Amino acid sequence: MSAVDSYTLLTRDISRNLTQLRTHNADVMQGFGALSKAALAPGALDEKTKELIAMAIGVASRCDGCLGFHAMALVRLKTTPEELREMLAVAVYMGGGPSLMYAANAMAAFDEFRKPAGNSESAPL
């Protein structure tokens, strides 16, 4: 496993830790939520394709929280392991060695959320 012991716990902790921002910076958080909703809305690309792109960016930017939240979304969207691996190959191609290390972490996050016991969703951002 990666340096993250549990992506389920990580996403829950991040969501809980955002409480103060939701309370004291409500406009910013509502704006971010609206941005997310608009960016992921189906258009020329479907939601799953957009989430695959988001996961690739999470890999390239080495964002553990991004891996957790986007893995959870990809499982909800019924992404296959084959689709995830193909996207990760492109992420590694674009990001080199560091992306290869995070591609392994992305697979771990995806696999964790595919497990029935680990499939409980944390609160959304």
Side-chain angles (χ1 to χ4, degrees):
M1 183 108 185
S2 71
V4 175
D5 291 329
S6 168
Y7 286 93
T8 302
L9 294 177
L10 177 67
T11 55
R12 285 182 189 158
D13 288 347
I14 289 170
S15 191
R16 184 183 63 245
N17 292 337
L18 288 172
T19 300
Q20 287 189 42
L21 290 175
R22 282 190 207 97
T23 302
H24 300 289
N25 302 89
D27 291 345
V28 172
M29 294 302 289
Q30 289 169 4
F32 184 80
L35 175 63
S36 174
K37 184 176 180 178
L40 294 173
L45 299 175
D46 63 14
E47 185 182 6
K48 181 163 60 170
T49 300
K50 291 178 179 189
E51 283 290 351
L52 286 164
I53 292 167
M55 177 68 97
I57 293 169
V59 168
S61 63
R62 298 159 196 62
C63 174
D64 287 316
C66 299
L67 300 186
F69 284 107
H70 294 295
M72 189 184 329
L74 289 167
V75 168
R76 177 180 52 80
L77 294 167
K78 301 187 182 345
T79 302
T80 67
E82 294 78 15
E83 290 170 318
L84 186 75
R85 287 191 295 265
E86 191 167 325
M87 173 278 298
L88 291 173
V90 175
V92 169
Y93 163 64
M94 295 304 294
S99 288
L100 179 60
M101 302 304 112
Y102 265 76
N105 293 355
M107 278 302 307
F110 182 78
D111 288 345
E112 181 177 321
F113 284 105
R114 286 181 67 218
K115 293 178 186 172
N119 205 9
S120 60
E121 293 191 19
S122 63
L125 283 175

Short mmCIF file of all heavy atoms in Angstrom, two decimals, residues 6-9 11-12 72 75 109-122:
data_model
loop_
_atom_site.label_atom_id
_atom_site.label_comp_id
_atom_site.label_asym_id
_atom_site.label_seq_id
_atom_site.Cartn_x
_atom_site.Cartn_y
_atom_site.Cartn_z
N SER A 6 -5.37 4.24 4.44
CA SER A 6 -6.73 3.99 4.00
C SER A 6 -7.28 5.21 3.28
O SER A 6 -7.37 6.30 3.87
CB SER A 6 -7.62 3.66 5.21
OG SER A 6 -8.98 3.68 4.83
N TYR A 7 -7.65 5.02 2.03
CA TYR A 7 -8.25 6.13 1.28
C TYR A 7 -9.65 6.42 1.79
O TYR A 7 -10.12 7.56 1.72
CB TYR A 7 -8.24 5.83 -0.22
CG TYR A 7 -6.85 5.98 -0.80
CD1 TYR A 7 -6.00 4.89 -0.90
CD2 TYR A 7 -6.38 7.21 -1.19
CE1 TYR A 7 -4.72 5.01 -1.39
CE2 TYR A 7 -5.09 7.36 -1.68
CZ TYR A 7 -4.26 6.26 -1.78
OH TYR A 7 -2.98 6.41 -2.26
N THR A 8 -10.33 5.43 2.33
CA THR A 8 -11.64 5.65 2.94
C THR A 8 -11.51 6.61 4.11
O THR A 8 -12.25 7.60 4.21
CB THR A 8 -12.25 4.31 3.40
OG1 THR A 8 -12.35 3.43 2.29
CG2 THR A 8 -13.61 4.51 4.04
N LEU A 9 -10.55 6.33 4.99
CA LEU A 9 -10.33 7.22 6.14
C LEU A 9 -9.82 8.57 5.71
O LEU A 9 -10.22 9.61 6.27
CB LEU A 9 -9.37 6.57 7.13
CG LEU A 9 -9.87 5.31 7.84
CD1 LEU A 9 -8.79 4.72 8.73
CD2 LEU A 9 -11.14 5.59 8.62
N THR A 11 -10.41 10.24 2.90
CA THR A 11 -11.49 11.07 2.36
C THR A 11 -12.44 11.52 3.47
O THR A 11 -12.92 12.67 3.45
CB THR A 11 -12.26 10.36 1.23
OG1 THR A 11 -12.74 9.10 1.70
CG2 THR A 11 -11.37 10.15 0.01
N ARG A 12 -12.70 10.66 4.43
CA ARG A 12 -13.55 11.07 5.57
C ARG A 12 -12.88 12.18 6.37
O ARG A 12 -13.54 13.15 6.77
CB ARG A 12 -13.83 9.87 6.48
CG ARG A 12 -14.84 8.92 5.92
CD ARG A 12 -15.12 7.79 6.89
NE ARG A 12 -15.93 6.78 6.23
CZ ARG A 12 -16.01 5.54 6.61
NH1 ARG A 12 -15.35 5.10 7.65
NH2 ARG A 12 -16.77 4.68 5.95
N MET A 72 -13.41 6.94 -5.54
CA MET A 72 -14.77 6.69 -5.06
C MET A 72 -15.78 6.99 -6.18
O MET A 72 -16.70 6.20 -6.41
CB MET A 72 -15.05 7.59 -3.85
CG MET A 72 -16.33 7.28 -3.14
SD MET A 72 -16.75 8.39 -1.75
CE MET A 72 -15.19 8.90 -1.10
N VAL A 75 -15.65 4.30 -8.99
CA VAL A 75 -16.35 3.07 -8.59
C VAL A 75 -17.86 3.27 -8.72
O VAL A 75 -18.56 2.41 -9.27
CB VAL A 75 -15.94 2.64 -7.17
CG1 VAL A 75 -16.86 1.55 -6.63
CG2 VAL A 75 -14.49 2.16 -7.15
N ALA A 109 -6.27 2.96 -4.24
CA ALA A 109 -7.49 3.68 -3.83
C ALA A 109 -8.71 3.09 -4.52
O ALA A 109 -9.74 2.84 -3.88
CB ALA A 109 -7.36 5.18 -4.17
N PHE A 110 -8.61 2.85 -5.83
CA PHE A 110 -9.72 2.28 -6.60
C PHE A 110 -10.10 0.91 -6.04
O PHE A 110 -11.27 0.62 -5.80
CB PHE A 110 -9.31 2.19 -8.07
CG PHE A 110 -10.38 1.65 -8.99
CD1 PHE A 110 -11.43 2.46 -9.40
CD2 PHE A 110 -10.30 0.35 -9.47
CE1 PHE A 110 -12.41 1.97 -10.26
CE2 PHE A 110 -11.27 -0.14 -10.33
CZ PHE A 110 -12.33 0.68 -10.73
N ASP A 111 -9.09 0.05 -5.81
CA ASP A 111 -9.35 -1.29 -5.28
C ASP A 111 -10.00 -1.23 -3.90
O ASP A 111 -10.90 -2.02 -3.58
CB ASP A 111 -8.06 -2.11 -5.22
CG ASP A 111 -7.58 -2.53 -6.60
OD1 ASP A 111 -8.36 -2.46 -7.57
OD2 ASP A 111 -6.39 -2.91 -6.71
N GLU A 112 -9.55 -0.28 -3.07
CA GLU A 112 -10.12 -0.15 -1.73
C GLU A 112 -11.61 0.18 -1.80
O GLU A 112 -12.41 -0.40 -1.07
CB GLU A 112 -9.38 0.94 -0.96
CG GLU A 112 -9.89 1.13 0.46
CD GLU A 112 -9.11 2.17 1.23
OE1 GLU A 112 -7.86 2.24 1.09
OE2 GLU A 112 -9.76 2.92 1.97
N PHE A 113 -11.99 1.09 -2.67
CA PHE A 113 -13.40 1.48 -2.76
C PHE A 113 -14.24 0.43 -3.48
O PHE A 113 -15.46 0.44 -3.35
CB PHE A 113 -13.55 2.86 -3.41
CG PHE A 113 -13.19 3.97 -2.47
CD1 PHE A 113 -12.00 4.66 -2.62
CD2 PHE A 113 -14.02 4.31 -1.42
CE1 PHE A 113 -11.65 5.68 -1.75
CE2 PHE A 113 -13.69 5.33 -0.54
CZ PHE A 113 -12.50 6.02 -0.71
N ARG A 114 -13.63 -0.49 -4.21
CA ARG A 114 -14.37 -1.58 -4.86
C ARG A 114 -14.74 -2.67 -3.87
O ARG A 114 -15.66 -3.43 -4.12
CB ARG A 114 -13.55 -2.18 -6.00
CG ARG A 114 -13.50 -1.28 -7.22
CD ARG A 114 -12.71 -1.91 -8.35
NE ARG A 114 -13.42 -3.07 -8.85
CZ ARG A 114 -12.83 -4.20 -9.25
NH1 ARG A 114 -11.52 -4.32 -9.20
NH2 ARG A 114 -13.52 -5.20 -9.70
N LYS A 115 -14.01 -2.77 -2.76
CA LYS A 115 -14.30 -3.79 -1.76
C LYS A 115 -15.63 -3.47 -1.09
O LYS A 115 -15.86 -2.33 -0.69
CB LYS A 115 -13.20 -3.82 -0.69
CG LYS A 115 -11.86 -4.28 -1.19
CD LYS A 115 -10.85 -4.22 -0.07
CE LYS A 115 -9.47 -4.53 -0.58
NZ LYS A 115 -8.45 -4.29 0.45
N PRO A 116 -16.48 -4.46 -0.93
CA PRO A 116 -17.78 -4.19 -0.29
C PRO A 116 -17.68 -3.52 1.07
O PRO A 116 -18.39 -2.59 1.35
CB PRO A 116 -18.42 -5.57 -0.18
CG PRO A 116 -17.77 -6.37 -1.27
CD PRO A 116 -16.36 -5.83 -1.38
N ALA A 117 -16.75 -3.96 1.92
CA ALA A 117 -16.62 -3.38 3.26
C ALA A 117 -16.08 -1.97 3.19
O ALA A 117 -16.40 -1.14 4.03
CB ALA A 117 -15.71 -4.25 4.12
N GLY A 118 -15.24 -1.64 2.20
CA GLY A 118 -14.65 -0.32 2.08
C GLY A 118 -15.41 0.58 1.15
O GLY A 118 -14.93 1.62 0.76
N ASN A 119 -16.62 0.19 0.77
CA ASN A 119 -17.35 0.94 -0.25
C ASN A 119 -18.29 1.98 0.35
O ASN A 119 -19.08 2.54 -0.35
CB ASN A 119 -18.14 -0.02 -1.15
CG ASN A 119 -18.41 0.58 -2.51
OD1 ASN A 119 -17.88 1.63 -2.84
ND2 ASN A 119 -19.24 -0.07 -3.28
N SER A 120 -18.19 2.23 1.65
CA SER A 120 -19.03 3.27 2.23
C SER A 120 -18.46 4.62 1.82
O SER A 120 -17.28 4.88 1.95
CB SER A 120 -19.06 3.15 3.75
OG SER A 120 -17.76 3.26 4.27
N GLU A 121 -19.33 5.46 1.28
CA GLU A 121 -18.88 6.74 0.77
C GLU A 121 -18.76 7.74 1.90
O GLU A 121 -19.56 7.78 2.81
CB GLU A 121 -19.85 7.26 -0.29
CG GLU A 121 -19.83 6.41 -1.53
CD GLU A 121 -20.59 7.06 -2.68
OE1 GLU A 121 -20.80 8.27 -2.65
OE2 GLU A 121 -20.94 6.32 -3.60
N SER A 122 -17.71 8.57 1.81
CA SER A 122 -17.58 9.63 2.79
C SER A 122 -18.42 10.81 2.32
O SER A 122 -18.94 10.83 1.22
CB SER A 122 -16.11 10.03 2.91
OG SER A 122 -15.64 10.56 1.68
#
